[in-house]
Structures are given as C-alpha cells and as structure tokens.
C-alpha cells in the first residue's frame, strides 16, 4: 500500500487547497478557527436561507465559487453539470474541504437524488429537476424511515394506491431531515402490499406544498430542530413523478453509482477535534480547567490512534473504488467506526474536564473548550442510528465480511 499521492493527485490536492484558501469567505474561516459551529446541523443550507445577513452573503459567495469549478456535484457526469471526478479525486476534494471545515453546498439532492435521476429518471424528470437541484433552487428531503421501518427499511408501510394518472399516498415518515425547509421530498412508498417486502416499493417525488402533507418537528436531546415527522393524508402524486419502474423502487433507492463512500470527512473531523484539544490543554486556560489524569491521557492516546485507523478504513474504501471494486462490508466498517469514534471522543473530553463539563453555555466564563465536548456528547447521539444503525452495520460485517450465518 502506498499512502502517498501520485504527482497528478498531489497537483490536484494543491489546486483544491489553494482554491479554498483564496475563495472560502472569512465568515467560514472564522468558524473553522473556532473548531466549527456547535449545534449548527443545518449547515450551508441554513446559512443560505435562514441565516443572518452575513451568513447569507457568505453562503452565496461560497456557492458561486464552488459552482464556478463545477464542484457542487463532483460525482455527476459533466454532461449534467457535474465535475465527472474519479473516486480518488472525490476523496481528495472531500478531505481538503473537511480539513478546512469548508461547508458542503450540495445537500441530499446533489449527493443522493441526482445520481438516482441520472441512472433511472426520464428525460422529463432530468430536465425538470437536475439543473434546479444543482443550482440549489430546490431543497430536498429524504422520506425513507418510518416508525416501524428504520433499520429494517424494507418493512415500510406508507401506501400509494393508483387512481388513474395519480397515486394517492397515506402514511407516516420519521427522522425526515430538513423537511421543514424542503421544497420537495423523494420517498419510498409501498405500491404493492402483496409482493415480498423488498418488492412492491416505488420511488416517488413529491412537492412539499401538495395538500395533505404535514410536517411536525422532532427536537433532539440537544434542543435542535433538524429532523421531523411527516404525515401523508390522501396526497395525490402524478404517476409521472415515480422514478424508475413502479414496484421496483427499492433498487432505484439503493443507487449509489460511483459516489465516494469512504467517510473521509468523519476521519478528518475526529483528528482535527483531537489536535484542537491538545492545543487547548497546553494553554494556560486549558491547563487550569483540565484533569490530565493517567487514565485520561491513556484514553486520549487511544482516540488519536483510532483516528489513524479511521483514516485507513476510509483509504481502503477509496482504493477499492479507484480499482473498480464496489465496497460492501468495508463501507459498513468505516461508517460504524467513525460514528462510534465521534461519541468516544466526546466522552473522553468530558472526563478530561471533570465538573467543568457540566457547563453548556459556550460563552460562559468558566466553560472549557467552548463547551464542545458536552454539546457533542448530545449532538452525536443520533450518529450511530442515522444512515444505518451500528447494529445493522455489525450484521452486515458479520454476514458479508466474516461469512457468519444469520441468526
């Protein structure tokens, strides 16, 4: 294994680094200097549409700069406005962006829906949605999970019954991220209740202004509103808004194409978190508020080693993709490890600051490290559930990776 960049990769990495240095607005550089913005799950989209005047201006400036390089959708083919990057180029781009805490301007529409439409959409659907999604004229939400179909997504029960040229949708979705800000939602619904559970599902696009759609907030344990419940009561959706074949939506929804799946951003974020805390602990304030007990030092060393393990998990996946191999259980390993590592770092940080870790207000005089660890402790609770729970990832690793029998 050669961890070093080739000459071409090194040149591309420098190009990305220089681009970020020259174009990232000072607003985001200031956030990066603070180690990120706690409780700001809305990210770039929040800044663009709901932020302060300064945030909106910075978000617009950054979007225009990224779009000028066709980097909003690095994995889309060039004929659809993407950059057509190789998996390794996508990896380098994400790594450099994550290192600089430069925000992603794509969102779920670009990362998930775009590749799905490119692979399965009609010409009319591509014409209507791709360019608008790329230009961030449409904000998308994802309607997958349900109260009884989270980890076992194929058990979903939201029904869509055909009535002429329309489907009538009834049911409920949960953990619908960004639904309160979305213009459209892409959802999996059951169109054939008599088929086996992975069949009889269709992939459907719905305008959030359609009568019968209701959004209710789900506030997290850290007092954030990012997820929602969405309810559908006799929602009429044109058949033309089904993507791919009717009753074959499970396979449409699982489309990933060549999108970079290494989770390098998580590995970079964890390493940066530890580098920041080491610097803080060496400062006068940090030394006064931290308890560098032998047990804490040992845990910090373990966490640092684990960030290197996380990077190598990510690098393994991207190396496979670069060689034309589709990662399977390897992606589950990286996802599970990264999400659990984030939680372990937060717990170690709480131990490091002892009773000071009870302080929630990042601006209070006695608060250590901007309350980052105690807030992350709560903010990261959903990380081992979202995107496939750790339990599901372990099942995949056991059956597909280790060849163990199903229970």
């Amino acid at each position: 294994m050669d961890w070093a960049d080739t000459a071409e990769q090194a040149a591309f990495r420098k190009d990305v680094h220089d681009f970020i240095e020259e174009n990232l607005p000072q607003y985001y550089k200031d956030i990066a200097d603070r180690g990120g913005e706690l409780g700001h799950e809305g990210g770039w989209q929040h800044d663009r549409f709901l932020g302060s005047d300064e945030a909106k201006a910075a978000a617009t400036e950054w979007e225009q700069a990224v779009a000028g390089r066709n980097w909003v959708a690095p994995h889309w083919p060039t004929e659809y406005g993407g950059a057509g990057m190789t998996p390794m180029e996508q990896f380098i781009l994400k790594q450099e962006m994550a290192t600089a805490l430069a925000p992603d301007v794509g969102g779920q529409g670009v990362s998930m829906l775009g590749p799905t439409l490119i692979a399965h959409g009609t010409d009319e659907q591509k014409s209507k949605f791709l360019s608008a999604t790329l230009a961030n004229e449409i904000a998308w939400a994802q309607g997958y999970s349900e109260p009884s179909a989270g980890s076992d997504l194929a058990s979903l029960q939201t029904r869509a019954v055909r009535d002429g040229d329309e489907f009538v949708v009834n049911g409920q979705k949960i953990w619908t991220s960004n639904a309160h800000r979305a213009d459209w939602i892409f959802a999996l619904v059951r169109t054939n209740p008599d088929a086996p559970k992975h069949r009889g599902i269709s992939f459907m696009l719905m305008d959030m202004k359609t009568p019968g759609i209701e959004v209710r907030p789900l506030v997290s344990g850290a007092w954030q509103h990012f997820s929602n419940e969405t309810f559908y009561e006799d929602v009429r959706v044109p058949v033309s808004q089904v993507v791919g074949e009717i009753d074959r939506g499970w396979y449409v929804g699982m489309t990933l194409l060549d999108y970079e799946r290494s989770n390098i951003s998580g590995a970079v974020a964890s390493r940066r978190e530890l580098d920041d805390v080491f610097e803080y602990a060496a400062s006068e304030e940090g030394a006064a508020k931290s308890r560098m007990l032998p047990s804490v030092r040992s845990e910090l060393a373990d966490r640092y080693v684990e960030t290197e393990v996380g990077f190598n998990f990510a690098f393994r996946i991207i190396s496979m993709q670069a060689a034309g191999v589709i990662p399977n259980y390897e992606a589950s390993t990286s996802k599970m490890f990264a999400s659990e590592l984030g939680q372990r770092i937060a717990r170690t940080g709480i131990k490091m600051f002892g009773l000071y870790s009870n302080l929630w207000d990042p601006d209070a005089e006695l608060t250590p490290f901007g309350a980052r660890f105690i807030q992350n402790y709560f903010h990261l609770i959903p990380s081992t559930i979202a995107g496939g729970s750790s339990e599901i990832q372990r099942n995949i690793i056991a059956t597909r990776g280790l060849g163990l029998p199903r229970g």
Side-chain angles (χ1 to χ4, degrees):
M1 172 64 75
D2 185 359
W3 281 265
D5 289 337
T6 65
E8 292 79 9
Q9 291 164 359
F12 179 66
R13 186 182 299 278
K14 183 178 185 306
D15 182 33
V16 175
H17 180 273
D18 292 345
F19 169 82
I20 296 171
E21 187 65 29
E22 294 169 7
N23 292 280
L24 187 65
Q26 190 62 44
Y27 174 82
Y28 289 117
K29 290 181 179 179
D30 291 342
I31 290 176
D33 288 341
R34 298 194 299 269
E37 193 160 3
L38 292 170
H40 191 44
E41 289 191 67
W44 175 86
Q45 283 191 333
H46 179 277
D47 291 339
R48 177 68 179 84
F49 300 104
L50 299 174
S52 64
D53 290 343
E54 182 185 11
K56 288 178 180 177
T60 300
E61 180 185 346
W62 179 234
E63 177 193 15
Q64 291 173 347
V66 175
R69 297 293 295 268
N70 288 341
W71 286 357
V72 174
H75 55 306
W76 289 19
T78 54
E79 58 264 35
Y80 295 107
M85 288 185 184
T86 65
M88 188 58 74
E89 288 172 334
Q90 295 174 44
F91 178 84
I92 291 171
L93 178 66
K94 288 190 70 174
Q95 186 179 13
E96 291 299 314
M97 290 287 192
T99 300
L101 288 183
D104 177 14
V105 301
Q108 294 182 114
V110 169
S111 64
M112 301 179 67
L113 179 64
T116 303
L117 286 179
I118 289 169
H120 301 285
T122 64
D123 289 341
E124 179 184 357
Q125 290 168 345
K126 293 176 184 178
S127 175
K128 181 175 182 180
F129 294 111
L130 284 180
S131 61
T133 298
L134 194 62
N136 285 294
E137 295 169 358
I138 299 176
W140 289 90
Q142 177 196 56
Y144 280 14
S145 295
E146 298 182 4
S148 299
S151 298
D152 184 17
L153 180 58
S155 296
L156 63 88
Q157 295 300 314
T158 294
R159 286 289 310 278
V161 178
R162 187 157 184 172
D163 182 16
D165 292 332
E166 295 179 318
F167 279 101
V168 181
V169 180
N170 284 277
Q172 178 188 358
K173 298 290 182 179
I174 199 167
W175 312 126
T176 316
S177 301
N178 210 43
H180 57 302
R181 293 193 289 261
D183 304 301
W184 284 72
I185 185 170
F186 54 96
L188 292 174
V189 297
R190 189 162 298 283
T191 45
N192 185 350
D194 299 321
K197 68 178 187 178
H198 285 86
R199 301 179 183 178
I201 292 173
S202 297
F203 189 101
M204 187 174 291
L205 311 177
M206 289 183 272
D207 188 333
M208 291 296 289
K209 295 187 293 295
T210 306
I213 298 180
E214 180 184 359
V215 179
R216 299 181 190 173
L218 288 174
V219 179
S220 75
W223 301 289
Q224 290 178 309
H225 175 203
F226 187 65
S227 293
N228 307 269
E229 296 176 286
T230 49
F231 295 85
Y232 307 83
E233 183 175 355
D234 295 333
V235 179
R236 304 190 75 89
V237 180
V239 173
S240 62
Q241 289 172 201
V242 173
V243 179
E245 296 181 46
I246 294 173
D247 295 342
R248 298 281 292 176
W250 178 263
Y251 310 99
V252 175
M254 296 303 107
T255 295
L256 288 173
L257 294 183
D258 290 327
Y259 188 50
E260 191 271 295
R261 299 170 60 196
S262 70
N263 197 29
I264 183 59
S265 297
V268 169
S270 294
R271 172 59 64 86
R272 177 163 185 153
E273 188 85 0
L274 287 174
D275 286 340
D276 287 349
V277 79
F278 292 152
E279 181 180 350
Y280 177 78
S283 69
E284 182 177 347
E285 177 185 334
K289 295 179 180 178
S290 60
R291 304 183 310 159
M292 285 308 227
L293 303 174
S295 59
V296 172
R297 289 177 179 273
S298 178
E299 283 198 30
L300 286 170
D302 286 344
R303 300 296 87 82
Y304 201 82
V305 171
E306 287 166 353
T307 63
E308 191 66 24
V309 173
F311 171 81
N312 280 278
F313 278 145
F315 198 73
R316 180 187 185 190
I317 291 171
I318 204 63
S319 298
M320 293 174 66
Q321 288 185 298
V325 179
I326 298 176
N328 192 301
Y329 72 90
E330 297 88 354
S332 292
T333 303
S334 180
K335 189 276 175 190
M336 181 190 73
F337 189 86
S339 58
E340 293 185 358
L341 174 57
Q343 293 178 342
R344 286 197 296 273
I345 290 174
R347 289 196 295 269
T348 296
I350 287 174
K351 293 179 183 178
M352 176 180 173
F353 294 118
L355 292 176
Y356 284 107
S357 290
N358 290 311
L359 297 171
W360 182 265
D361 183 357
D363 298 319
E365 180 182 354
L366 296 178
T367 301
F369 203 49
R372 199 185 307 181
F373 284 131
I374 187 60
Q375 291 213 15
N376 281 344
Y377 181 83
F378 286 92
H379 295 320
L380 293 173
I381 289 172
S383 67
T384 48
I385 302 171
S389 69
S390 287
E391 291 75 16
I392 292 296
Q393 306 307 329
R394 284 184 167 84
N395 286 340
I396 292 172
I397 294 166
T399 55
R400 301 179 189 175
L402 300 176
L404 298 177
R406 293 184 179 273

